[in-house]
Amino acid sequence: MTLQPHLIKRLWLTIKAPLDGPLMLFLGLIFALSLVVLYSANNQGLDKIDNKLVYTLLSLSIMWLLARSRPQSIMNFAPPIYGIGVVLLLAVHFKGVTVNGSTRWLELGITRIQPSEIMKIALPMMLAWFFQKYELSMRWWHYLVAAVMIAIPCALVLKQPDLGTTMLIAASGFFVLFFVGLPWKVILGGMIAAGACMPVVWNMLHDYQRRRVMTMIDPMEDPLGAGYHIIQSMIAIGSGGPWGKGWLNGTQTHLDYIPERTTDFIFAVYSEEFGLVGNVLLVILYTLVLSRAMMITAGAQTLYGRAMAGAITLSFFVYAFVNMGMVAGILPVVGVPLPFVSYGGTATVTLFVGMGMLMSIGNARR
């Protein structure tokens, strides 16, 4: 039994109706690049390719469901998702899986999840919902409540410890505050206060976190220890030159000099094999995604839509900037994946969920 042509056409129109064409095109190109570089980074093994495809298909299904939903309907799920996220972070504290000294994961039998990734979406959702609810009666104390909402997950993630993810979650919360109209004098006052507190924060950091900062300044201080990641990734990027060494020909990659080369440091693999030209292409694709996302943000019809779309857009920019910056040695190593390129199930689902929400907000204008 075969499907009639008109049924296939109707099915195709139903699938593509809620999706944003330009976003899907740019994301598809980035995803294709990610498969190419992951195949090389995994020494031509297909196991991680298979896992990435499975997670991507699952993520695309969730993204499609979100894209065809009304933003107001999605907004109503903000409090329970935020609550579940906090509970999962508490569960990590008591029952989490420890890897390399960090307790960040929960074992669910069939898979392992990282609840802090969920909070990257749950926190901005919760804050956007909160400010939408009090849009017409907003007072200064609403910002204090929002600060508590930000502090709870950040404290739990910092305890794991995971400073990088803590900063990204806090940033996503700040982006919501910015888009709902946090006064500039408060922002500037907060920046000055944060700067003044840096000596205190420095003394509160773990030894390994202080080493990461010092290593960024001078990686040769400990070339076989804390500086190893940065040195090897910088060698890989530099040896790629303008045109790269060619696909599957990266010596730093295939001689196992690059650690975490399928996840946080996959950009080093890409740079070595595709060179400056490949990097420019990837940056252009990211810029196109950001440009389209900003257009959706600018056209949002509600406070929730503007705050949520803006937070997703700026968070996406921060992820890409921080990952490329740390691999290039201009930022401390904080364990941030390269969006849609790094291998990682929970991060993939979270990113596509964000894109689905963006499309939902964009569709609300039609």
Side-chain angles (χ1 to χ4, degrees):
M1 181 178 180
T2 59
L3 287 174
Q4 297 297 321
H6 71 282
L7 291 178
I8 296 176
K9 184 178 180 180
R10 283 185 58 185
L11 178 62
W12 168 245
L13 292 176
T14 301
I15 292 174
K16 81 168 191 177
L19 302 179
D20 186 282
L23 262 185
M24 289 303 297
L25 173 62
F26 306 145
L27 295 177
L29 292 172
I30 294 174
F31 180 71
L33 277 179
S34 77
L35 293 182
V36 170
V37 69
L38 180 60
Y39 180 71
S40 178
N42 197 36
N43 289 329
Q44 305 178 42
L46 292 176
D47 54 327
K48 292 191 175 180
I49 296 282
D50 293 340
N51 288 339
K52 188 178 179 77
L53 287 173
V54 170
Y55 274 110
T56 302
L57 286 175
L58 171 65
S59 303
L60 285 172
S61 302
I62 298 172
M63 183 189 75
W64 183 80
L65 289 173
L66 289 170
R68 69 190 304 272
S69 302
R70 296 169 58 246
Q72 290 78 8
S73 301
I74 298 173
M75 181 178 70
N76 293 330
F77 287 96
I81 292 176
Y82 177 83
I84 291 171
V86 171
V87 170
L88 289 175
L89 288 175
L90 287 170
V92 169
H93 180 69
F94 293 106
K95 297 287 185 179
V97 177
T98 301
V99 178
N100 295 329
S102 298
T103 307
R104 304 174 183 175
W105 298 269
L106 270 182
E107 192 66 59
L108 299 182
I110 58 172
T111 188
R112 180 184 293 180
I113 65 170
Q114 190 174 349
S116 57
E117 291 290 334
I118 299 172
M119 198 51 76
K120 289 177 182 176
I121 286 292
L123 177 62
M125 275 185 73
M126 183 66 191
L127 292 174
W129 169 86
F130 176 73
F131 283 106
Q132 176 70 58
K133 184 178 180 182
Y134 295 102
E135 180 183 9
L136 301 178
S137 58
M138 202 177 299
R139 299 290 185 272
W140 63 268
W141 59 266
H142 288 107
Y143 291 105
L144 288 181
V145 174
V148 173
M149 292 180 187
I150 296 173
I152 292 173
C154 286
L156 291 172
V157 177
L158 191 62
K159 186 74 176 174
Q160 292 180 355
D162 189 348
L163 180 62
T165 303
T166 301
M167 294 175 66
L168 293 177
I169 292 173
S172 69
F174 171 77
F175 295 147
V176 172
L177 298 183
F178 175 76
F179 280 100
V180 299
L182 183 66
W184 273 104
K185 60 182 180 182
V186 177
I187 295 174
L188 292 175
M191 293 173 67
I192 294 172
C197 292
M198 287 308 293
V200 179
V201 173
W202 178 261
N203 288 325
M204 294 174 63
L205 293 177
H206 293 272
D207 289 341
Y208 81 92
Q209 291 168 335
R210 283 197 288 263
R211 278 199 301 274
R212 285 181 176 180
V213 176
M214 298 308 297
T215 299
M216 177 195 69
I217 298 172
D218 182 14
M220 294 307 295
E221 184 179 344
D222 188 9
L224 297 179
Y228 185 78
H229 287 59
I230 292 179
I231 292 171
Q232 298 304 324
S233 64
M234 290 171 66
I235 292 173
I237 292 173
S239 63
W243 307 104
K245 294 178 178 175
W247 187 43
L248 305 178
N249 291 324
T251 51
Q252 287 291 110
T253 299
H254 298 291
L255 293 177
D256 292 334
Y257 283 110
I258 301 177
E260 308 296 340
R261 61 179 182 271
T262 61
T263 53
D264 296 345
F265 280 78
I266 198 169
F267 182 64
V269 178
Y270 178 78
S271 298
E272 183 182 24
E273 298 191 349
F274 296 94
L276 179 62
V277 173
N279 291 342
V280 171
L281 173 62
L282 184 59
V283 169
I284 289 174
L285 289 174
Y286 278 144
T287 303
L288 290 172
V289 171
L290 288 168
S291 300
R292 182 60 184 163
M294 286 305 295
M295 291 175 64
I296 293 174
T297 302
Q301 295 183 325
T302 64
L303 181 65
Y304 170 84
R306 185 172 71 248
M308 195 64 209
I312 292 170
T313 303
L314 292 185
S315 296
F316 184 86
F317 165 76
V318 169
Y319 296 164
F321 177 78
V322 170
N323 180 276
M324 292 180 177
M326 76 174 191
V327 174
I330 61 174
L331 292 175
V333 177
V334 289
V336 176
L338 188 61
F340 296 109
V341 178
S342 291
Y343 176 76
T346 314
T348 300
V349 174
T350 303
L351 286 166
F352 275 107
V353 164
M355 292 297 118
M357 290 182 176
L358 264 179
M359 293 180 193
S360 169
I361 294 166
N363 292 336
R365 291 182 300 175
R366 299 177 183 174

